[in-house]
């Protein structure tokens, strides 16, 4: 199943081992949870500090290919919402 999420800005858990795999949960502000599975902790860390880091900080529009249990098979970033420095400062001082 494929879905498109417009404002995808997840909180990302640290990798944890389950069934000889390393899982990472992506938790959206609305409470939805998605899971990404990796073969090694290094692969999981690379994903977290690579593409997923930008999504966690800025958010974006993504297309997810899911299988049963909200497990992400493929994630495609359609657009990354990088605000201007002025917007970041306004957000920082207003929060």
């Amino acid at each position: 199943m494929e879905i498109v999420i417009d404002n995808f800005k997840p909180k990302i858990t640290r990798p944890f081992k389950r069934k000889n795999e390393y899982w990472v949960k992506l938790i959206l502000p609305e409470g939805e949870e998605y899971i990404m599975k990796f073969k090694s902790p290094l692969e999981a860390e690379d994903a977290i500090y690579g593409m997923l880091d930008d999504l966690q900080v800025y958010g974006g529009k993504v297309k997810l290919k899911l299988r049963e249990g909200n497990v992400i098979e493929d994630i495609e970033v359609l657009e990354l919402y990088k605000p201007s420095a002025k917007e970041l400062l306004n957000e920082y001082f207003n929060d």
Side-chain angles (χ1 to χ4, degrees), residues 56-85:
Q56 182 171 273
V57 172
Y58 302 114
K61 183 176 184 177
V62 297
K63 185 192 310 187
L64 302 177
K65 185 185 280 188
L66 301 172
R67 63 176 192 232
E68 191 174 329
N70 280 351
V71 176
I72 298 173
E73 288 184 331
D74 187 37
I75 183 168
E76 180 182 345
V77 178
L78 302 174
E79 185 178 352
L80 189 61
Y81 303 144
K82 280 198 174 185
S84 68

Side-chain angles (χ1 to χ4, degrees), residues 22-95:
Y22 292 86
W23 291 18
V24 174
K25 281 189 180 180
L26 287 70
I27 305 165
L28 298 182
E30 302 84 39
E32 293 178 67
E33 291 185 4
Y34 297 95
I35 297 169
M36 293 182 80
K37 296 180 181 181
F38 300 95
K39 293 179 182 164
S40 72
L42 186 59
E43 286 180 352
E45 293 287 336
D46 283 349
I48 291 170
Y49 295 111
M51 171 194 59
L52 294 178
D53 187 46
D54 284 343
L55 285 172
Q56 182 171 273
V57 172
Y58 302 114
K61 183 176 184 177
V62 297
K63 185 192 310 187
L64 302 177
K65 185 185 280 188
L66 301 172
R67 63 176 192 232
E68 191 174 329
N70 280 351
V71 176
I72 298 173
E73 288 184 331
D74 187 37
I75 183 168
E76 180 182 345
V77 178
L78 302 174
E79 185 178 352
L80 189 61
Y81 303 144
K82 280 198 174 185
S84 68
K86 182 178 179 181
E87 290 170 323
L88 286 173
L89 285 173
N90 287 339
E91 183 179 320
Y92 177 78
F93 286 113
N94 290 330
D95 285 345

Side-chain angles (χ1 to χ4, degrees), residues 7-25:
N7 192 14
F8 191 76
K9 190 174 180 180
K11 291 187 186 214
I12 301 169
T13 65
R14 294 188 55 78
F16 57 95
K17 190 171 184 176
R18 190 160 184 182
K19 300 180 184 176
N20 295 326
E21 298 173 316
Y22 292 86
W23 291 18
V24 174
K25 281 189 180 180

